[in-house]
Amino acid sequence: MKRLVLFLLTISALISCSPNDDSPSYHLEVLPVESFTVPESFDMNQNYQIKVKYKRPSDCHFYQGIYYEKNGQERTFGVQTSVLEADYCNPLDEAPIEVTFDFLCTPGNQYYTFRFYKGEDANGNNLFEEVTIPVTY
């Protein structure tokens, strides 16, 4: 009897797990930074708000935060979005959206090089705009 119940529960669980999942699908995409505002210099152990502007290519792009990569004194930034994979997405031609993020200047660096993602060239190579910001002690 216990085996029969276990067998029926197993069959029921397998049937209820449908491989035809109708929930929406998303993927992540890093969008180019249209413009940015950074300070002329950093003071040690101070927190700064960095402003970036970006454009959503479609109404199926949703802001998820700032893409951030650290390599020594170099920081790379882009705008991370989730993109709804749907047939009904409409292209947008709207004004850039401004977002901010905090940056803490930590000890041990004499400068930071910020690299802002600007998109891709005709060959698919990533393009960046760089700015070097000195640190004052």
Side-chain angles (χ1 to χ4, degrees):
M1 183 67 164
K2 289 182 184 179
R3 288 186 181 177
L4 179 61
V5 170
L6 183 59
F7 176 74
L8 290 175
L9 284 174
T10 303
I11 295 296
S12 174
L14 290 175
I15 291 173
S16 66
C17 295
S18 171
N20 297 330
D21 188 4
D22 292 335
S23 62
S25 294
Y26 292 87
H27 68 270
L28 294 178
E29 185 175 324
V30 178
L31 297 180
V33 172
E34 293 283 317
S35 64
F36 55 87
T37 304
V38 296
E40 290 184 17
S41 67
F42 289 130
D43 290 328
M44 190 60 57
N45 294 319
Q46 295 298 311
N47 199 29
Y48 295 88
Q49 279 201 334
I50 308 299
K51 296 178 183 179
V52 297
K53 290 186 179 181
Y54 73 100
K55 286 186 174 184
R56 289 189 322 149
S58 80
D59 58 0
C60 288
H61 285 76
F62 302 97
Y63 177 77
Q64 292 297 309
I66 296 295
Y67 171 84
Y68 175 78
E69 187 176 301
K70 177 181 174 180
N71 184 13
Q73 292 173 297
E74 188 176 88
R75 306 296 187 265
T76 302
F77 303 99
V79 177
Q80 186 166 303
T81 59
S82 60
V83 183
L84 175 64
E85 296 173 1
D87 295 334
Y88 52 82
C89 299
N90 297 307
L92 294 176
D93 187 23
E94 60 187 12
I97 300 166
E98 183 177 271
V99 295
T100 60
F101 63 93
D102 291 332
F103 180 78
L104 176 63
C105 180
T106 57
N109 294 311
Q110 295 180 351
Y111 66 90
Y112 287 97
T113 299
F114 281 11
R115 300 175 68 224
F116 292 93
Y117 177 65
K118 299 302 273 184
E120 295 180 346
D121 66 13
N123 297 321
N125 298 313
N126 291 332
L127 300 172
F128 298 93
E129 185 174 343
E130 293 186 2
V131 61
T132 299
I133 305 167
V135 175
T136 58
Y137 289 89

